[in-house]
Amino acid sequence: MKRTRGSGSVYMHGAVYWCKYYLNGKPLRENTHCKLEADAKKFLRHKIGQIAVGRFTSPQVDKVTVNDLAGDIRNDYKVNGKSSGDDLEFRLNHLLPVLGHIKAHELGTDVIKQYVARRLEEKASNASINRELAALKRMFNLGIQAEKIYRKPYMPMLAENNVRKGFFEHAEFVAFRAQFSAELQPVLTFAYYTGWRKSEILTLRWNQVDVDNRIVKLDPGTTKSGEGRAFPITDALQ
C-alpha cells in the first residue's frame, strides 16, 4: 500500500522501531522505544495528531522546564541592556519556587490560576500578580521565538483599579483634560492614573519604560521617599 504523503514512517534501528515525521516541512526522527511495528505506528499517529491540533511536543521540548525559560528572559534583559533586572528577579523569586520545576508544555491555565490564588492568599496586590504573569508570558514568548517550545498557556490577568479619586470624578477629569492642548493631554492622563508628582512625570526617560512587561518605573533615590516605584502600563495609558 502506498504511504500517504506527510503521514510519516516507521523503521527498525537496532532492537526497536524509530519513526520519521514532519513539522513545518522539516523531517524529525524519534525513538518510539517500541519493539512491535503496530505499537510504533500507534506512536507515530499520536505524534502526527499532536501536530495537527497544535499540541506537538518534540523530545527536546519535553525536557524544557519553566526554570529553563527563566534563563532566556534573564539573558534577554542583559542583551537588551534593560535596567530593571532587580524587578525581574523579584518576580522570578515568586514564580520559580512554585512553577519552575514544571515542564513548560505541561503548564496549563488551571495551574496558573492556582498560582494566582496562592499569591492572593499571601496578600499580593492584583498589580503585583499581573507583573509576575507578564514576566511568565514573556518567558514563553522567548521560548517560542527560540523554537524551544511550540505553545504557551492562556494567562488570565486580574482587574486593576488604579484610578485616583478625590478631586475629580472620571467624567469631570475627561472634561477638564479636553480644555488642554493635545501635547499636554497625555501628561494629564498619566498624572491622573498614577498620582505621580509633576517633577517625576516630566523627567521620565525611555530607559524607565519596560515595554515588554508593560511597566513604567521610578528608580530608588529619585522619589521623595527615596524608594523606587513602578506602575503598570494599562490600556488607558497607551
Side-chain angles (χ1 to χ4, degrees):
M1 179 181 295
K2 185 177 180 180
R3 181 169 57 85
T4 304
R5 180 177 177 81
S7 61
S9 60
V10 299
Y11 58 94
M12 284 293 293
H13 183 72
V16 296
Y17 278 92
W18 283 59
C19 65
K20 177 182 177 181
Y21 51 90
Y22 296 85
L23 177 67
N24 299 326
K26 180 181 178 180
L28 298 176
R29 294 174 174 82
E30 185 173 349
N31 188 347
T32 71
H33 301 284
C34 298
K35 294 184 178 181
L36 298 178
E37 183 178 10
D39 292 337
K41 288 182 176 179
K42 182 178 179 180
F43 180 94
L44 173 62
R45 288 195 298 271
H46 176 69
K47 285 293 179 180
I48 293 174
Q50 285 184 323
I51 294 173
V53 298
R55 297 187 64 86
F56 169 76
T57 57
S58 71
Q60 293 75 25
V61 168
D62 190 56
K63 299 176 182 178
V64 177
T65 66
V66 175
N67 273 327
D68 295 325
L69 299 183
D72 291 338
I73 194 172
R74 286 180 173 126
N75 289 335
D76 181 66
Y77 269 60
K78 292 177 182 177
V79 169
N80 291 292
K82 297 180 180 179
S83 59
S84 51
D86 290 342
D87 292 339
L88 173 65
E89 290 302 323
F90 181 78
R91 298 175 203 136
L92 294 181
N93 284 341
H94 289 293
L95 287 165
L96 299 184
V98 181
L99 305 177
H101 67 285
I102 301 176
K103 292 181 179 179
H105 79 270
E106 292 180 351
L107 182 62
T109 302
D110 57 337
V111 177
I112 294 174
K113 286 182 177 180
Q114 292 172 14
Y115 172 80
V116 170
R118 173 174 176 161
R119 292 291 287 130
L120 288 171
E121 290 178 357
E122 294 171 348
K123 306 303 181 182
S125 69
N126 286 16
S128 294
I129 296 170
N130 281 349
R131 302 295 77 73
E132 293 161 18
L133 295 181
L136 184 63
K137 183 176 181 180
R138 178 62 177 164
M139 289 158 59
F140 273 82
N141 285 338
L142 290 170
I144 291 173
Q145 290 174 17
E147 298 184 349
K148 290 184 176 181
I149 55 175
Y150 297 97
R151 59 168 291 275
K152 63 181 178 183
Y154 169 71
M155 300 184 193
M157 308 299 281
L158 300 177
E160 297 182 32
N161 183 17
N162 295 308
V163 177
R164 305 288 293 193
K165 297 180 179 180
F167 296 104
F168 286 113
E169 294 294 338
H170 185 66
E172 293 173 333
F173 165 72
V174 172
F176 171 79
R177 181 181 58 186
Q179 306 303 312
F180 292 83
S181 66
E183 290 78 11
L184 284 176
Q185 287 184 16
V187 178
L188 294 171
T189 299
F190 193 90
Y192 175 71
Y193 280 93
T194 65
W196 289 5
R197 296 176 176 82
K198 180 177 70 173
S199 60
E200 295 172 339
I201 297 172
L202 296 181
T203 57
L204 283 172
R205 298 292 182 267
W206 279 113
N207 62 2
Q208 294 171 262
V209 181
D210 186 342
V211 176
D212 292 332
N213 293 303
R214 297 170 61 84
I215 292 175
V216 183
K217 65 171 188 172
L218 294 175
D219 296 324
T222 63
T223 65
K224 185 176 181 180
S225 67
E227 298 180 356
R229 197 184 311 147
F231 195 87
I233 301 175
T234 61
D235 292 341
L237 296 179
Q238 289 186 344

